[in-house]
Every structure is written in structure tokens, then in C-alpha cells.
Amino acid sequence: MHIEALPHDVGDADEYHPLVQFAGDPMGCIEENEDAWEKFDRPLNMLLQKPQDELKHLVQVGENGLIGLCHFLEYLVTYHQVTGYLLKGKLEQLMCAIDEV
């Protein structure tokens, strides 16, 4: 996994990190009649649809950073049937930024 291979000096994301909005337990963040993808497509795009060099500031670990984002995406896939195909384009540049650190 890319995150596990990160050097320790990338640091832990704090409560002001841009990915903090995806931290914590996601259970209940989507109402019964809400479409999970419709709700989170735009926020994910706002953060992740940028050139690779602009994503490097997101590369910090911890629940407020990449670990929290991973848990959140796992929740969308597991409980709301969001497919990897939908996430792939959003995550490709971030994965490249992680690889460059």
C-alpha cells in the first residue's frame, strides 16, 4: 500500500489538514435516501482533481490525513456500493503525489 511506504518524516495531518473533513467514523454521514456518490463526488473533486504537484501538501498520514481518507473511501465502497471505477480517476494523481514523496 502506498501510504504504508511513506517515510515517517511526512508527518501526521493535524485538525487543519484539508482531508480532515473525511476523518472520523463515517457511519451515519449519509442519510437513508441520499445517494452517497452524489453527496461526496463534488467535495472529493474539489480536493483531488488537481495536478500532481498541487496534491503533495495532502501527503500526510494519520486519521486527519490519508489514513482517514482511506477509511472514508472504504466506507463508501463497502456500505454504499461506490465502485472503484468512480474513484480511480480521483485518486490517480494523489497516488502519483504519494509516490513522489
Side-chain angles (χ1 to χ4, degrees):
M1 181 175 213
H2 285 77
I3 296 170
E4 293 168 350
L6 283 170
H8 294 287
D9 62 351
V10 299
D12 283 349
D14 63 20
E15 67 271 11
Y16 303 107
H17 193 278
L19 295 177
V20 75
Q21 63 186 303
F22 302 107
D25 184 0
M27 289 296 203
C29 71
I30 298 168
E31 301 291 323
E32 187 175 322
N33 294 325
E34 271 186 308
D35 181 290
W37 188 244
E38 289 295 321
K39 183 172 183 173
F40 289 104
D41 180 39
R42 183 161 165 54
L44 287 167
N45 279 341
M46 298 287 290
L47 280 173
L48 302 176
Q49 294 296 296
K50 297 179 180 172
Q52 177 182 332
D53 60 322
E54 290 182 34
L55 295 175
K56 288 182 184 177
H57 75 283
L58 297 179
V59 182
Q60 289 188 311
V61 295
E63 285 298 319
N64 293 335
L66 293 172
I67 300 296
L69 177 64
C70 283
H71 290 159
F72 179 76
L73 296 175
E74 181 179 13
Y75 166 77
L76 290 180
V77 169
T78 303
Y79 294 97
H80 296 282
Q81 294 71 47
V82 172
T83 65
Y85 175 78
L86 292 173
L87 296 171
K88 182 181 178 192
K90 294 181 185 335
L91 297 175
E92 284 178 330
Q93 294 288 36
L94 180 59
M95 301 290 277
C96 290
I98 290 169
D99 286 341
E100 291 222 351
V101 172

mmCIF file of all heavy atoms in Angstrom, residues 1-7 10 52-53 55-56 58-60 66 91-101:
data_model
loop_
_atom_site.group_PDB
_atom_site.id
_atom_site.type_symbol
_atom_site.label_atom_id
_atom_site.label_comp_id
_atom_site.label_asym_id
_atom_site.label_seq_id
_atom_site.Cartn_x
_atom_site.Cartn_y
_atom_site.Cartn_z
ATOM 1 N N MET A 1 0.844 -1.190 0.000
ATOM 2 C CA MET A 1 0.000 0.000 0.000
ATOM 3 C C MET A 1 0.884 1.247 0.000
ATOM 4 O O MET A 1 1.885 1.307 0.700
ATOM 5 C CB MET A 1 -0.914 -0.049 1.220
ATOM 6 C CG MET A 1 -1.854 1.096 1.324
ATOM 7 S SD MET A 1 -2.956 0.833 2.725
ATOM 8 C CE MET A 1 -4.388 1.594 2.080
ATOM 9 N N HIS A 2 0.519 2.226 -0.738
ATOM 10 C CA HIS A 2 1.313 3.448 -0.887
ATOM 11 C C HIS A 2 1.515 4.188 0.436
ATOM 12 O O HIS A 2 2.600 4.680 0.707
ATOM 13 C CB HIS A 2 0.643 4.388 -1.880
ATOM 14 C CG HIS A 2 0.792 3.955 -3.294
ATOM 15 N ND1 HIS A 2 0.056 2.938 -3.840
ATOM 16 C CD2 HIS A 2 1.599 4.398 -4.272
ATOM 17 C CE1 HIS A 2 0.398 2.778 -5.091
ATOM 18 N NE2 HIS A 2 1.337 3.645 -5.394
ATOM 19 N N ILE A 3 0.487 4.285 1.233
ATOM 20 C CA ILE A 3 0.559 5.067 2.471
ATOM 21 C C ILE A 3 1.526 4.432 3.457
ATOM 22 O O ILE A 3 2.307 5.121 4.102
ATOM 23 C CB ILE A 3 -0.840 5.234 3.091
ATOM 24 C CG1 ILE A 3 -1.718 6.037 2.138
ATOM 25 C CG2 ILE A 3 -0.759 5.924 4.441
ATOM 26 C CD1 ILE A 3 -3.163 6.072 2.507
ATOM 27 N N GLU A 4 1.485 3.121 3.561
ATOM 28 C CA GLU A 4 2.368 2.425 4.497
ATOM 29 C C GLU A 4 3.834 2.591 4.130
ATOM 30 O O GLU A 4 4.700 2.482 4.979
ATOM 31 C CB GLU A 4 1.999 0.953 4.561
ATOM 32 C CG GLU A 4 0.632 0.725 5.180
ATOM 33 C CD GLU A 4 0.130 -0.694 5.000
ATOM 34 O OE1 GLU A 4 0.737 -1.468 4.237
ATOM 35 O OE2 GLU A 4 -0.887 -1.018 5.622
ATOM 36 N N ALA A 5 4.130 2.850 2.881
ATOM 37 C CA ALA A 5 5.510 3.004 2.429
ATOM 38 C C ALA A 5 6.035 4.428 2.586
ATOM 39 O O ALA A 5 7.209 4.683 2.310
ATOM 40 C CB ALA A 5 5.614 2.574 0.967
ATOM 41 N N LEU A 6 5.203 5.337 3.024
ATOM 42 C CA LEU A 6 5.635 6.729 3.184
ATOM 43 C C LEU A 6 6.690 6.854 4.280
ATOM 44 O O LEU A 6 6.597 6.177 5.310
ATOM 45 C CB LEU A 6 4.449 7.628 3.531
ATOM 46 C CG LEU A 6 3.524 7.987 2.390
ATOM 47 C CD1 LEU A 6 2.265 8.659 2.904
ATOM 48 C CD2 LEU A 6 4.236 8.884 1.399
ATOM 49 N N PRO A 7 7.662 7.726 4.087
ATOM 50 C CA PRO A 7 8.649 7.946 5.150
ATOM 51 C C PRO A 7 7.985 8.609 6.357
ATOM 52 O O PRO A 7 6.990 9.328 6.220
ATOM 53 C CB PRO A 7 9.670 8.883 4.496
ATOM 54 C CG PRO A 7 8.983 9.474 3.322
ATOM 55 C CD PRO A 7 7.902 8.535 2.908
ATOM 56 N N VAL A 10 6.989 12.556 6.733
ATOM 57 C CA VAL A 10 5.889 13.286 6.099
ATOM 58 C C VAL A 10 4.969 13.871 7.159
ATOM 59 O O VAL A 10 4.267 14.835 6.909
ATOM 60 C CB VAL A 10 5.064 12.431 5.097
ATOM 61 C CG1 VAL A 10 5.914 11.941 3.968
ATOM 62 C CG2 VAL A 10 4.327 11.320 5.766
ATOM 63 N N GLN A 52 -0.705 16.866 -10.016
ATOM 64 C CA GLN A 52 0.038 16.104 -9.018
ATOM 65 C C GLN A 52 0.865 16.986 -8.081
ATOM 66 O O GLN A 52 0.862 16.783 -6.874
ATOM 67 C CB GLN A 52 0.940 15.120 -9.747
ATOM 68 C CG GLN A 52 1.829 14.299 -8.887
ATOM 69 C CD GLN A 52 2.695 13.412 -9.744
ATOM 70 O OE1 GLN A 52 2.333 13.034 -10.837
ATOM 71 N NE2 GLN A 52 3.866 13.076 -9.246
ATOM 72 N N ASP A 53 1.539 17.993 -8.611
ATOM 73 C CA ASP A 53 2.381 18.848 -7.773
ATOM 74 C C ASP A 53 1.565 19.656 -6.768
ATOM 75 O O ASP A 53 2.060 20.030 -5.715
ATOM 76 C CB ASP A 53 3.273 19.757 -8.609
ATOM 77 C CG ASP A 53 2.496 20.687 -9.522
ATOM 78 O OD1 ASP A 53 1.467 20.262 -10.076
ATOM 79 O OD2 ASP A 53 2.925 21.854 -9.686
ATOM 80 N N LEU A 55 -1.000 18.416 -5.225
ATOM 81 C CA LEU A 55 -1.539 17.453 -4.256
ATOM 82 C C LEU A 55 -0.515 17.037 -3.208
ATOM 83 O O LEU A 55 -0.881 16.391 -2.223
ATOM 84 C CB LEU A 55 -2.065 16.218 -4.988
ATOM 85 C CG LEU A 55 -3.259 16.461 -5.902
ATOM 86 C CD1 LEU A 55 -3.596 15.187 -6.671
ATOM 87 C CD2 LEU A 55 -4.461 16.945 -5.118
ATOM 88 N N LYS A 56 0.724 17.408 -3.389
ATOM 89 C CA LYS A 56 1.766 16.975 -2.459
ATOM 90 C C LYS A 56 1.491 17.425 -1.024
ATOM 91 O O LYS A 56 1.859 16.746 -0.077
ATOM 92 C CB LYS A 56 3.133 17.449 -2.920
ATOM 93 C CG LYS A 56 3.624 16.690 -4.127
ATOM 94 C CD LYS A 56 4.999 17.145 -4.538
ATOM 95 C CE LYS A 56 5.415 16.418 -5.807
ATOM 96 N NZ LYS A 56 6.704 16.865 -6.297
ATOM 97 N N LEU A 58 -1.176 17.302 0.486
ATOM 98 C CA LEU A 58 -2.121 16.366 1.114
ATOM 99 C C LEU A 58 -1.426 15.132 1.679
ATOM 100 O O LEU A 58 -2.024 14.385 2.448
ATOM 101 C CB LEU A 58 -3.173 15.907 0.093
ATOM 102 C CG LEU A 58 -4.101 16.969 -0.478
ATOM 103 C CD1 LEU A 58 -5.056 16.336 -1.481
ATOM 104 C CD2 LEU A 58 -4.870 17.674 0.628
ATOM 105 N N VAL A 59 -0.193 14.926 1.294
ATOM 106 C CA VAL A 59 0.519 13.695 1.668
ATOM 107 C C VAL A 59 1.022 13.799 3.106
ATOM 108 O O VAL A 59 2.176 14.135 3.378
ATOM 109 C CB VAL A 59 1.658 13.381 0.675
ATOM 110 C CG1 VAL A 59 2.352 12.083 1.056
ATOM 111 C CG2 VAL A 59 1.113 13.286 -0.745
ATOM 112 N N GLN A 60 0.112 13.531 4.017
ATOM 113 C CA GLN A 60 0.403 13.397 5.437
ATOM 114 C C GLN A 60 -0.469 12.257 5.953
ATOM 115 O O GLN A 60 -1.592 12.062 5.479
ATOM 116 C CB GLN A 60 0.102 14.682 6.208
ATOM 117 C CG GLN A 60 1.091 15.790 5.894
ATOM 118 C CD GLN A 60 0.899 16.971 6.802
ATOM 119 O OE1 GLN A 60 -0.204 17.452 6.989
ATOM 120 N NE2 GLN A 60 1.998 17.441 7.375
ATOM 121 N N LEU A 66 -4.287 11.002 5.106
ATOM 122 C CA LEU A 66 -4.518 9.915 4.152
ATOM 123 C C LEU A 66 -5.185 8.685 4.766
ATOM 124 O O LEU A 66 -6.001 8.036 4.108
ATOM 125 C CB LEU A 66 -3.191 9.528 3.496
ATOM 126 C CG LEU A 66 -2.578 10.593 2.589
ATOM 127 C CD1 LEU A 66 -1.176 10.167 2.157
ATOM 128 C CD2 LEU A 66 -3.455 10.853 1.386
ATOM 129 N N LEU A 91 -8.248 9.415 -7.670
ATOM 130 C CA LEU A 91 -7.108 9.020 -6.852
ATOM 131 C C LEU A 91 -5.793 8.874 -7.620
ATOM 132 O O LEU A 91 -4.734 8.839 -7.001
ATOM 133 C CB LEU A 91 -7.425 7.709 -6.126
ATOM 134 C CG LEU A 91 -8.589 7.790 -5.154
ATOM 135 C CD1 LEU A 91 -8.900 6.421 -4.589
ATOM 136 C CD2 LEU A 91 -8.291 8.781 -4.038
ATOM 137 N N GLU A 92 -5.848 8.816 -8.926
ATOM 138 C CA GLU A 92 -4.621 8.588 -9.700
ATOM 139 C C GLU A 92 -3.550 9.649 -9.439
ATOM 140 O O GLU A 92 -2.386 9.318 -9.185
ATOM 141 C CB GLU A 92 -4.932 8.513 -11.192
ATOM 142 C CG GLU A 92 -5.548 7.196 -11.569
ATOM 143 C CD GLU A 92 -5.918 7.123 -13.057
ATOM 144 O OE1 GLU A 92 -6.238 8.172 -13.663
ATOM 145 O OE2 GLU A 92 -5.876 6.003 -13.578
ATOM 146 N N GLN A 93 -3.910 10.901 -9.486
ATOM 147 C CA GLN A 93 -2.930 11.968 -9.267
ATOM 148 C C GLN A 93 -2.425 11.965 -7.825
ATOM 149 O O GLN A 93 -1.255 12.225 -7.564
ATOM 150 C CB GLN A 93 -3.508 13.344 -9.620
ATOM 151 C CG GLN A 93 -3.805 13.507 -11.079
ATOM 152 C CD GLN A 93 -2.545 13.638 -11.920
ATOM 153 O OE1 GLN A 93 -1.518 13.023 -11.669
ATOM 154 N NE2 GLN A 93 -2.627 14.458 -12.940
ATOM 155 N N LEU A 94 -3.320 11.673 -6.881
ATOM 156 C CA LEU A 94 -2.904 11.606 -5.480
ATOM 157 C C LEU A 94 -1.906 10.467 -5.274
ATOM 158 O O LEU A 94 -0.908 10.624 -4.580
ATOM 159 C CB LEU A 94 -4.117 11.422 -4.563
ATOM 160 C CG LEU A 94 -3.815 11.338 -3.077
ATOM 161 C CD1 LEU A 94 -3.113 12.592 -2.565
ATOM 162 C CD2 LEU A 94 -5.096 11.084 -2.300
ATOM 163 N N MET A 95 -2.153 9.337 -5.904
ATOM 164 C CA MET A 95 -1.232 8.195 -5.810
ATOM 165 C C MET A 95 0.134 8.579 -6.369
ATOM 166 O O MET A 95 1.160 8.228 -5.788
ATOM 167 C CB MET A 95 -1.800 6.981 -6.547
ATOM 168 C CG MET A 95 -3.123 6.509 -6.034
ATOM 169 S SD MET A 95 -3.001 5.760 -4.429
ATOM 170 C CE MET A 95 -2.507 4.146 -4.912
ATOM 171 N N CYS A 96 0.152 9.309 -7.457
ATOM 172 C CA CYS A 96 1.428 9.758 -8.031
ATOM 173 C C CYS A 96 2.131 10.722 -7.084
ATOM 174 O O CYS A 96 3.358 10.654 -6.912
ATOM 175 C CB CYS A 96 1.198 10.413 -9.393
ATOM 176 S SG CYS A 96 0.718 9.259 -10.679
ATOM 177 N N ALA A 97 1.372 11.610 -6.448
ATOM 178 C CA ALA A 97 1.971 12.537 -5.479
ATOM 179 C C ALA A 97 2.542 11.777 -4.294
ATOM 180 O O ALA A 97 3.622 12.121 -3.799
ATOM 181 C CB ALA A 97 0.914 13.547 -5.017
ATOM 182 N N ILE A 98 1.854 10.740 -3.845
ATOM 183 C CA ILE A 98 2.353 9.911 -2.743
ATOM 184 C C ILE A 98 3.657 9.236 -3.159
ATOM 185 O O ILE A 98 4.617 9.200 -2.390
ATOM 186 C CB ILE A 98 1.297 8.860 -2.334
ATOM 187 C CG1 ILE A 98 0.107 9.557 -1.658
ATOM 188 C CG2 ILE A 98 1.898 7.805 -1.416
ATOM 189 C CD1 ILE A 98 -1.097 8.646 -1.448
ATOM 190 N N ASP A 99 3.698 8.725 -4.368
ATOM 191 C CA ASP A 99 4.899 8.040 -4.855
ATOM 192 C C ASP A 99 6.113 8.984 -4.932
ATOM 193 O O ASP A 99 7.245 8.537 -4.811
ATOM 194 C CB ASP A 99 4.654 7.432 -6.230
ATOM 195 C CG ASP A 99 3.782 6.189 -6.175
ATOM 196 O OD1 ASP A 99 3.663 5.588 -5.091
ATOM 197 O OD2 ASP A 99 3.222 5.835 -7.218
ATOM 198 N N GLU A 100 5.861 10.264 -5.144
ATOM 199 C CA GLU A 100 6.959 11.220 -5.277
ATOM 200 C C GLU A 100 7.536 11.677 -3.953
ATOM 201 O O GLU A 100 8.610 12.265 -3.918
ATOM 202 C CB GLU A 100 6.494 12.437 -6.069
ATOM 203 C CG GLU A 100 6.236 12.093 -7.498
ATOM 204 C CD GLU A 100 6.757 13.140 -8.454
ATOM 205 O OE1 GLU A 100 7.163 14.211 -8.013
ATOM 206 O OE2 GLU A 100 6.762 12.835 -9.656
ATOM 207 N N VAL A 101 6.844 11.418 -2.882
ATOM 208 C CA VAL A 101 7.328 11.853 -1.560
ATOM 209 C C VAL A 101 8.394 10.913 -1.064
ATOM 210 O O VAL A 101 8.409 9.758 -1.290
ATOM 211 C CB VAL A 101 6.158 11.928 -0.552
ATOM 212 C CG1 VAL A 101 6.670 12.189 0.847
ATOM 213 C CG2 VAL A 101 5.198 13.018 -0.970
#
